[in-house]
């Protein structure tokens, strides 16, 4: 029986076309397209009974963890506007708006 594909060579049409590529996933916090690294974040922490997950950039998740405690995140739930009302988070989102999706930097330490 003959093989459908050559033994030593690439499969035909092995690489997806850009026309058939899925649309980019948008970050839940900043609204920018995510890159290769996607963090699936629990808006309501798992320790507080959260089950839903949302896609985020790693740097956006770090910013949330820096500025909010788990109980504050539980109170805000999935309300992005309430999180963006925090001055430090709004400043961060405005700053990161024009950065590359793969951009990463260190964030400030928690203020406690």
């Amino acid at each position: 029986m003959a093989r459908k594909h050559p033994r030593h060579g690439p499969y035909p049409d092995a690489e997806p076309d850009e026309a058939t590529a899925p649309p980019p996933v948008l970050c839940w916090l900043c609204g920018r397209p995510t890159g290769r690294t996607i963090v699936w974040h629990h808006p309501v922490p798992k320790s507080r009974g959260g089950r839903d997950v949302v896609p985020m950039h790693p740097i956006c998740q770090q910013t949330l963890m820096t500025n909010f405690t788990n109980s504050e995140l539980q109170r805000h739930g999935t309300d992005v506007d309430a999180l963006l009302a925090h001055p430090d988070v709004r400043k961060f989102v405005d700053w990161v708006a024009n950065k590359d999706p793969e951009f990463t930097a260190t964030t400030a330490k928690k203020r406690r």
Side-chain angles (χ1 to χ4, degrees), residues 26-47:
L26 298 180
C27 178
W28 179 71
L29 182 66
C30 69
R32 298 180 303 134
T34 56
R36 288 178 301 220
T37 305
I38 299 175
V39 174
W40 293 96
H41 173 73
H42 290 267
V44 176
K46 286 174 64 175
S47 64

Side-chain angles (χ1 to χ4, degrees), residues 9-96:
Y11 290 108
D13 300 318
E15 298 195 18
D17 296 333
E18 295 212 8
T20 61
V25 178
L26 298 180
C27 178
W28 179 71
L29 182 66
C30 69
R32 298 180 303 134
T34 56
R36 288 178 301 220
T37 305
I38 299 175
V39 174
W40 293 96
H41 173 73
H42 290 267
V44 176
K46 286 174 64 175
S47 64
R48 305 295 175 139
R51 294 178 183 229
D52 297 333
V53 292
V54 293
M56 291 182 75
H57 294 105
I59 192 170
C60 294
Q61 185 190 32
Q62 291 169 3
T63 300
L64 283 185
M65 296 294 108
T66 300
N67 291 298
F68 297 103
T69 62
N70 280 351
S71 59
E72 290 172 331
L73 288 173
Q74 179 186 10
R75 272 185 257 130
H76 292 301
T78 58
D79 187 12
V80 177
D81 295 330
L83 296 173
L84 293 175
H86 190 281
D88 290 337
V89 174
R90 171 50 62 191
K91 183 178 175 184
F92 166 78
V93 169
D94 292 341
W95 173 72
V96 82

